[in-house]
Amino acid sequence: MSIESFSVRGRLADTGEGITADELQLAARNHGMPLEGLRYDVTPPGLHYVLVHYDIPATNAGDWMLSVDGCVEQPLSFGLTELRAMGRRTVRVTLECAGNGRATLQPRPISQPWLTEAVGTAEWTGVLLADLLRLAGLRADAVDVVFTGADHGVERGVEQDYQRGLSVPEAIDSGAIVAWEMNGAPLPPQHGYPLRLVVPGWYGMASVKWLRSIEVIDHAFDGFQNSVAYRIRTDADDPGTAITRIQPRALLIPPGFPDFMSRHRFVAAGTVPLFGRAWSGWAPIERVEVSTDAGVNWHEATLDARGNQTGNDELAWRAFAYDWEATPGEHVLTVRAYDAAGNEQPIEAEWNRGGFSNNTAQRITVLVT
């Protein structure tokens, strides 16, 4: 039997088809952030969302080497000691999986069945990618930069190392870092120990974990994760458009207490403080609106002060709050975000075959007693 015939192909769920055994297996390996985790400015590593494409590789910081080669004047190789000697840069970054919200689509793309919790914000410490590229010296024919991780597997019949590419301007101007710490401690295994790329503002597929090589090439990168996966398509034959930066999204911490199975919420009548976070990979959040009647009426939330956030930190999530005067009965809460570049979170995002960039507004059913 060939690899191609043994590998599961992507498909859409049939009408009325429930979560499959393959999807359940993925959901057991990967996890989202419980929405009550939005209370933390910086997400604890155990709550931060995790998506591992293949296996978590066995790695050792003591002998780990990162190569920088290709269309450069001086190919280089670094151990962690050499990288740390170049200095430390810490940046707060909100990472979101490009497939966040996939399981809510109809028809549902069969893949990791995310609802809305595939997000987290951490402080990543490392060295600027731009500094590594400048040290190696980019040649005039440099076009794209390819990042290769140590995780290896098969996807849609293609055996591969996990690889993603950025254009040279994106690699230099994005503020990306090669990180060895998460929230002040060595990277946990599931988050890329001992080295990973972190690209502020981009969906998580760009932030290659277990990073072992950076190659500068003289053409556009056409590897699987750039040219086949992570593209917005309307049908199987559509070449699609590349997924890049995170679309604006706001999420509330569900108020009150939950029903175990449905997660419907229960609160007492009166003033109910609502709290959440909003983010966008295009520009800082400048407004958040809350509705307590399923989107009939909207109310502006209060945003937190920006404090000392500058540069790429401005793309990290921003807290918001709203006091709801709750009256008895059933209510549906929803929320939407606006960024400074004029991007607005839709009530219903457009469907696509891969279930990507689905920033449909959150809906929370609440019974006020």
Side-chain angles (χ1 to χ4, degrees):
M1 180 179 289
S2 68
I3 287 177
E4 290 80 5
S5 60
F6 198 62
S7 178
V8 174
R9 299 285 176 168
R11 69 178 181 89
L12 299 177
D14 294 331
T15 302
E17 181 180 6
I19 295 293
T20 67
D22 284 347
E23 289 176 295
L24 181 59
Q25 182 173 233
L26 286 173
R29 288 186 52 82
N30 304 303
H31 69 80
M33 179 194 68
L35 291 182
E36 57 269 31
L38 291 166
R39 69 170 64 102
Y40 300 104
D41 289 336
V42 174
T43 311
L47 296 183
H48 195 291
Y49 96 92
V50 170
L51 177 70
V52 176
H53 276 77
Y54 307 129
D55 284 349
I56 299 171
T59 57
N60 185 343
D63 60 8
W64 194 262
M65 299 299 293
L66 174 66
S67 63
V68 182
D69 56 20
C71 298
V72 297
E73 300 294 342
Q74 178 63 52
L76 300 170
S77 183
F78 301 93
L80 264 70
T81 300
E82 290 85 2
L83 287 172
R84 291 190 181 106
M86 295 179 64
R88 297 165 60 89
R89 177 72 64 92
T90 298
V91 60
R92 184 175 294 186
V93 178
T94 295
L95 288 179
E96 181 179 10
C97 185
N100 200 14
R102 174 185 291 124
T104 66
L105 294 175
Q106 293 296 331
R108 186 183 80 255
I110 299 290
S111 186
Q112 168 65 31
W114 294 123
L115 297 173
T116 59
E117 297 91 344
V119 66
T121 294
E123 291 186 341
W124 306 93
T125 297
V127 61
L128 279 174
L129 171 63
D131 288 347
L132 295 182
L133 295 176
R134 291 190 183 102
L135 193 62
L138 292 173
R139 296 196 325 227
D141 58 345
V143 174
D144 273 12
V145 186
V146 180
F147 307 91
T148 301
D151 47 330
H152 184 88
V154 177
E155 203 161 340
R156 300 186 214 174
V158 180
E159 184 177 354
Q160 59 191 280
D161 294 329
Y162 187 84
Q163 292 182 307
R164 278 286 303 188
L166 295 171
S167 71
V168 167
E170 289 165 349
I172 292 174
D173 298 336
S174 63
I177 65 170
V178 174
W180 53 79
E181 288 184 2
M182 178 185 188
N183 295 353
L187 297 173
Q190 71 272 27
H191 287 289
Y193 172 83
L195 281 179
R196 72 172 296 172
L197 184 69
V198 177
V199 187
W202 285 58
Y203 282 110
M205 78 281 159
S207 294
V208 176
K209 293 180 281 191
W210 312 290
L211 183 66
R212 60 182 178 83
S213 74
I214 299 172
E215 182 185 9
V216 183
I217 61 176
D218 62 2
H219 57 277
F221 178 59
D222 61 357
F224 182 91
Q225 301 296 338
N226 274 62
S227 63
V228 179
Y230 293 109
R231 301 184 72 84
I232 299 290
R233 294 184 172 89
T234 55
D235 59 62
D237 297 324
D238 180 4
T241 57
I243 298 166
T244 58
R245 290 185 173 270
I246 298 171
Q247 298 300 321
R249 184 192 291 272
L251 289 177
L252 286 165
I253 295 177
F257 54 88
D259 173 72
F260 173 71
M261 285 297 296
S262 69
R263 308 305 294 180
H264 291 168
R265 312 299 296 192
F266 300 86
V267 303
T271 302
V272 177
L274 301 178
F275 179 85
R277 307 272 179 179
W279 62 93
S280 171
W282 297 99
I285 291 296
E286 68 172 12
R287 191 166 91 254
V288 173
E289 293 179 336
V290 177
S291 173
T292 60
D293 55 11
V296 176
N297 296 287
W298 292 92
H299 314 277
E300 189 161 344
T302 301
L303 295 175
D304 72 339
R306 267 296 172 191
N308 295 323
Q309 287 182 296
T310 59
N312 287 308
D313 281 16
E314 290 189 340
L315 299 182
W317 63 24
R318 190 172 183 184
F320 64 88
Y322 176 74
D323 284 340
W324 171 33
E325 297 303 324
T327 57
E330 184 176 315
H331 301 261
V332 175
L333 310 184
T334 188
V335 62
R336 62 188 178 190
Y338 302 77
D339 70 24
N343 298 301
E344 174 183 340
Q345 182 181 2
I347 303 304
E348 293 286 342
E350 292 185 9
W351 182 90
N352 67 86
R353 186 175 176 84
F356 295 121
S357 302
N358 177 21
N359 61 337
T360 293
Q362 177 190 25
R363 293 171 65 89
I364 301 173
T365 302
V366 179
L367 180 63
V368 180
T369 58

